[in-house]
Amino acid sequence: MDRRKFLQIPIAAIPAFLASRAYGQEHTKFPVTSTMRMKGPVVVSTWDSGVTANNGAWPLLRKQGHALDAVEAAGRASELEPSCCVGLAAWPDRDGKVTLDACIMNGNGDIGAVSFLERIKHPVSVARAVMEKTPHVLLSGEGAQEFAAANGFKLESGELSEDARKQWAEWLKKSQYKPGINVEGRPTTILQFAPNYFDNGKPNHDTMGTVALDASGGLAGMVTTSGMAFKMRGRVGDSPIIGAGLFVDNEVGAATSSGVGEEVIRICGTHTVIEQMRFGRTPEQACREAIRRVVKRDLVKAKEFQVGFVALSKTGVIGAFAVQKGFTFTVTNEQYPEGKIFEAKSHF
Ligand code: SD4
């Protein structure tokens, strides 16, 4: 089934479309995300598998629930769904351990995060507990796990899923860490060294980033991930780093990222996006500026990796931009209650 849905170009957006071509967007398919203003509560998640996340969030948002509860529900839904591959069923690090990163942020500046967390089913909820129950903002590794256990989170077995075991065994044959680019709207950054990545013909790995606007105008966001597959043990990506993988400010908007986390951290990605919006750029312009900074460092290297940003303004405007084609995001609201998938414009 082709799950990509295409955005139509309103006539009013044609000047923007032409301007975007001047920027060199030969491959632009959907150049008008900056005109996507949504009415009322809305939830936006990275990638096609954002449908799963949004399905977790939307029932709450629809009933005037808070954005913070909605994004946590989005994270929990993703962490439970093996095809999202962000929880314990996801792929391991190079030592064969699944290590999870997550964060959550409220539009008033409350934040919580966990990194390098093992054997816990719902890292996003542990991140929320860090936010609500500790004086800290980020707990890592063993300490994060102890905190989770002390707060009632069950310690799971830590065994790899069958799929993860197979993929790890395959990867071990070459043991080459070489993040690739997502293919045709799919989320992976790991295709090149994982030939068996496809599940029934479809890649199934992802980082889930979600941002939401609730009925009372409150914003929140979360990210949950197993990080880059076959990473070094102890490696932490952008996802749990506030200002890198996620940033939210009720005065401006919310932004999240996916792709090679090191490149996002380098430019304080989502904070950059929100600050651009604060000074008047649309979400799409802001995401594009962040991508420009990612790419400019090494134009040759940039051809080989993916980074994508998606942002939601406090007035419900959605925009996105990516290094490569194929960065998709899912929007769910009253208009699209089952979720609609869009593809971001890209640098290459
Ligand atoms: C990371 N940003 O750990 C994550 C990976 C990712 O789709 O987004 N994968 O660097």
Side-chain angles (χ1 to χ4, degrees), residues 79-289:
E79 288 159 354
L80 281 184
E81 171 52 57
S83 68
C84 290
C85 268
V86 297
L88 290 175
W91 289 7
D93 65 14
R94 68 184 191 181
D95 292 5
K97 308 265 193 222
V98 174
T99 72
L100 305 172
D101 300 335
C103 71
I104 194 160
M105 182 164 189
N106 206 1
N108 64 1
D110 290 341
I111 55 178
V114 288
S115 66
F116 192 37
L117 177 64
E118 292 173 90
R119 297 174 55 191
I120 297 288
K121 202 181 271 177
H122 288 301
V124 69
S125 295
V126 185
R128 184 165 178 174
V130 171
M131 175 173 109
E132 290 175 343
K133 298 183 177 175
T134 80
H136 306 304
V137 298
L138 170 61
L139 292 181
S140 194
E142 212 180 291
Q145 194 188 64
E146 278 167 15
F147 168 78
N151 281 276
F153 292 87
K154 188 177 159 216
L155 214 51
E156 308 291 336
S157 75
E159 266 180 44
L160 292 184
S161 66
E162 205 186 310
D163 171 58
R165 213 166 354 94
K166 271 195 220 147
Q167 301 298 344
W168 181 50
E170 188 63 32
W171 179 80
L172 279 174
K173 290 180 188 163
K174 286 193 180 160
S175 300
Q176 195 190 6
Y177 182 77
K178 194 169 180 236
I181 297 165
N182 57 276
V183 169
E184 283 303 304
R186 300 302 173 184
T188 186
T189 46
I190 50 184
L191 278 172
Q192 284 182 357
F193 51 70
N196 295 340
Y197 174 79
F198 290 89
D199 174 17
N200 298 325
K202 284 179 184 163
N204 60 2
H205 282 248
D206 199 5
T207 285
M208 189 51 58
T210 299
V211 290
L213 176 65
D214 65 29
S216 53
L219 288 155
M222 77 87 208
V223 184
T224 183
T225 187
S226 54
M228 302 293 286
F230 317 127
K231 60 195 175 186
M232 284 174 70
R233 184 148 178 78
R235 180 265 189 190
V236 172
D238 58 321
S239 304
I241 310 293
I242 297 295
L246 178 71
F247 201 72
V248 186
D249 184 340
N250 269 347
E251 286 182 355
V252 180
T256 187
S257 64
S258 195
V260 177
E262 284 76 3
E263 304 301 332
V264 177
I265 292 172
R266 220 184 288 291
I267 63 143
C268 298
T270 52
H271 184 260
T272 294
V273 170
I274 294 301
E275 292 312 294
Q276 295 294 314
M277 288 164 63
R278 192 187 304 281
F279 294 113
R281 285 190 155 155
T282 65
E284 185 188 297
Q285 288 167 340
C287 292
R288 173 184 281 195
E289 169 58 17

